[in-house]
Amino acid sequence: MACASSFAAVPLAAPVVIFRLTSDFKEDPNPNKVNLGVGAYRTDEGKPWVLPVVRKVEKCLANNDGLNHEYVPILGIPEFTQSACEIILGKDSPAITDNRVGGVQCLGGTGALRLGAEFLRSWYNGVNNSSTPVYVSAPTWANHNGVFGATGFTNICSYRYWHATKCGLDLQGLLEDLENAPEFSIIVLHACAHNPTGTDPTPEEWKKIAAVMKKKYLFPFFDSAYQGFASGNLDKDAWAVRYFVSQGFELFCAQSFSKNFGLYNERVGNLCIVAKDNDNVKRIRSQMEKIARTIWSNPPAQGARIVATTLNDPALFAEWTDNVKTMADRVLLMRAQLKEKLEKLGTPGTWNHITQQIGMFSFTGLNPSQVDYMVKKKHIYLLGNGRINMCGLTTSNLNYVAESIKEAVTSGQ
């Protein structure tokens, strides 16, 4: 008689929503189908784009007989971690000049968040502070809750961010929630191109946020997944992080190079650490090295080499910034054209938020029943909260999407 499986009691986990959406899209035979869910850049032909500068660097690396496949250091390739920190903080950052910055190469932005969360859970303001409040925006990227929860944090809270009526930032609610947060709470902030809303604070609003956080001794943990990709300007998209550093904050910044280099499957990430002094940086990195050793041991080399080579060569860097601007400009164009088309169609409501938002994603304001109409009746795939990927829009499907949005809004759904 065969024994029952040792895993018979394991429940079937719910599928990851965004990947289930993509699967449903692929299985849909409708010729008019549109995928506005996937979080990746697409050309106007709806195709993935390998940045020309990345192709060039890949060929150079392939022809470099001096490279091998030996393990890289646990903390990562130094040329990569240094250049990654410089790109987010600025080469002339006082923190870099004062030698109180360090980086750790991670498996994408998600790995950087996980490593930072693991360290904070063990060492932030003492040892094993799993009950320290961690605040994420409402709404936020769904994986923020999962990452911090998986590391053992038991008190994950939210701060108000999206004002549904205004289709914009709820600054008053945000500031009130930060004021009411316990001292030394950890605050997860989107550096730019907030996911999923596409709504960012202005510099003046960031200053107000920083002032409250400084008064309450709140720890900033930035998530920077779209630097350069949001506005087309690297410095503009890093403004918030650099301002917090200028105000004397210690902070972490999880960086992803999936979007701005198009290296989605290479999992290139960096955790940038800004501390009070170099001694603190050394001790933090020493503990992170131990954590990384138990998770992935040594990070992969190829993607990090591509990024480091590009960032450290003036000609390649100039070409990369031009490639990034190409992507950003296409997104901005799609925003302008969608807003214009919705208004010309006489779509009920106001649509200024489409162009006021920034980055890959837009919070359309469509409610769940309207989203359901879009998916089931029009074969346009988007998340249930109304978030769309602007890169999924093309000149060939823009009219269809706009007309479908009007139908969804006016159909009584």
Side-chain angles (χ1 to χ4, degrees), residues 170-193:
D170 184 0
L171 181 64
Q172 181 178 348
L174 189 163
L175 294 176
E176 287 178 357
D177 289 342
L178 294 183
E179 285 275 9
N180 293 327
E183 291 184 347
F184 302 105
S185 294
I186 298 164
I187 312 297
V188 179
L189 301 164
H190 300 233
C192 67

Side-chain angles (χ1 to χ4, degrees), residues 244-300:
F244 272 68
V245 172
S246 76
Q247 296 303 297
F249 282 91
E250 291 187 295
L251 58 82
F252 289 170
C253 182
Q255 296 172 263
S256 169
F257 293 91
S258 293
K259 309 296 191 300
N260 55 16
F261 268 84
L263 294 170
Y264 300 98
N265 64 12
E266 293 288 353
R267 311 311 300 138
V268 189
N270 181 61
L271 181 61
C272 180
I273 304 153
V274 180
K276 290 294 184 184
D277 52 43
N278 181 255
D279 181 61
N280 273 289
V281 172
K282 286 181 178 178
R283 287 184 285 105
I284 292 169
R285 292 179 83 234
S286 75
Q287 292 296 333
M288 288 186 175
E289 184 174 41
K290 292 182 67 176
I291 297 169
R293 174 66 173 159
T294 65
I295 304 177
W296 55 72
S297 188
N298 303 78

Side-chain angles (χ1 to χ4, degrees), residues 53 56-57 60 309-321:
V53 71
K56 181 182 295 185
V57 174
C60 290
T309 301
T310 304
L311 296 184
N312 287 291
D313 182 290
L316 293 173
F317 180 82
E319 184 175 351
W320 172 62
T321 56

Side-chain angles (χ1 to χ4, degrees), residues 21 28 30 32-36 338 342 351 364 366-384 386-388 393 397-411 413:
L21 196 71
D28 189 341
N30 191 285
N32 295 320
K33 64 181 181 179
V34 179
N35 187 0
L36 299 182
L338 178 61
L342 288 170
W351 299 95
T364 59
L366 296 176
N367 62 42
S369 61
Q370 292 165 346
V371 169
D372 191 59
Y373 182 92
M374 294 278 286
V375 174
K376 293 182 178 177
K377 301 291 185 181
K378 307 304 294 185
H379 303 272
I380 298 174
Y381 291 81
L382 65 158
L383 293 181
R387 189 201 82 173
I388 63 173
L393 291 174
N397 68 28
L398 181 69
N399 286 342
Y400 177 68
V401 171
E403 290 162 0
S404 298
I405 289 175
K406 181 186 178 183
E407 283 185 33
V409 173
T410 58
S411 66
Q413 299 296 313

Side-chain angles (χ1 to χ4, degrees), residues 86-310:
E86 289 176 350
I87 203 73
I88 190 66
L89 301 179
K91 285 188 177 182
D92 59 349
S93 171
I96 292 177
T97 303
D98 294 341
N99 198 25
R100 53 189 182 87
V101 173
V104 178
Q105 185 181 336
C106 301
L107 301 188
T110 302
L113 287 165
R114 179 63 183 261
L115 182 67
E118 291 276 4
F119 173 84
L120 291 171
R121 199 266 304 156
S122 295
W123 295 106
Y124 179 59
N125 269 340
V127 179
N128 198 23
N129 281 301
S130 60
S131 61
T132 298
V134 177
Y135 282 78
V136 300
S137 63
T140 193
W141 180 50
N143 217 16
H144 281 153
N145 290 279
V147 166
F148 282 89
T151 59
F153 280 104
T154 58
N155 191 10
I156 301 175
C157 314
S158 63
Y159 58 87
R160 283 169 284 178
Y161 194 89
W162 174 253
H163 196 296
T165 303
K166 295 192 305 182
C167 286
L169 180 69
D170 184 0
L171 181 64
Q172 181 178 348
L174 189 163
L175 294 176
E176 287 178 357
D177 289 342
L178 294 183
E179 285 275 9
N180 293 327
E183 291 184 347
F184 302 105
S185 294
I186 298 164
I187 312 297
V188 179
L189 301 164
H190 300 233
C192 67
H194 182 272
N195 180 4
T197 71
T199 297
D200 288 349
T202 65
E204 289 306 312
E205 290 169 337
W206 273 120
K207 289 179 181 179
K208 293 178 181 178
I209 294 168
V212 174
M213 290 184 62
K214 193 171 186 178
K215 181 177 68 174
K216 295 298 297 287
Y217 305 102
L218 306 178
F219 182 81
F221 195 149
F222 280 97
D223 186 353
S224 177
Y226 303 96
Q227 187 183 0
F229 192 98
S231 69
N233 184 296
L234 292 166
D235 296 327
K236 183 177 181 180
D237 293 346
W239 190 92
V241 178
R242 295 177 186 181
Y243 179 76
F244 272 68
V245 172
S246 76
Q247 296 303 297
F249 282 91
E250 291 187 295
L251 58 82
F252 289 170
C253 182
Q255 296 172 263
S256 169
F257 293 91
S258 293
K259 309 296 191 300
N260 55 16
F261 268 84
L263 294 170
Y264 300 98
N265 64 12
E266 293 288 353
R267 311 311 300 138
V268 189
N270 181 61
L271 181 61
C272 180
I273 304 153
V274 180
K276 290 294 184 184
D277 52 43
N278 181 255
D279 181 61
N280 273 289
V281 172
K282 286 181 178 178
R283 287 184 285 105
I284 292 169
R285 292 179 83 234
S286 75
Q287 292 296 333
M288 288 186 175
E289 184 174 41
K290 292 182 67 176
I291 297 169
R293 174 66 173 159
T294 65
I295 304 177
W296 55 72
S297 188
N298 303 78
Q302 178 70 1
R305 283 175 175 160
I306 292 170
V307 173
T309 301
T310 304

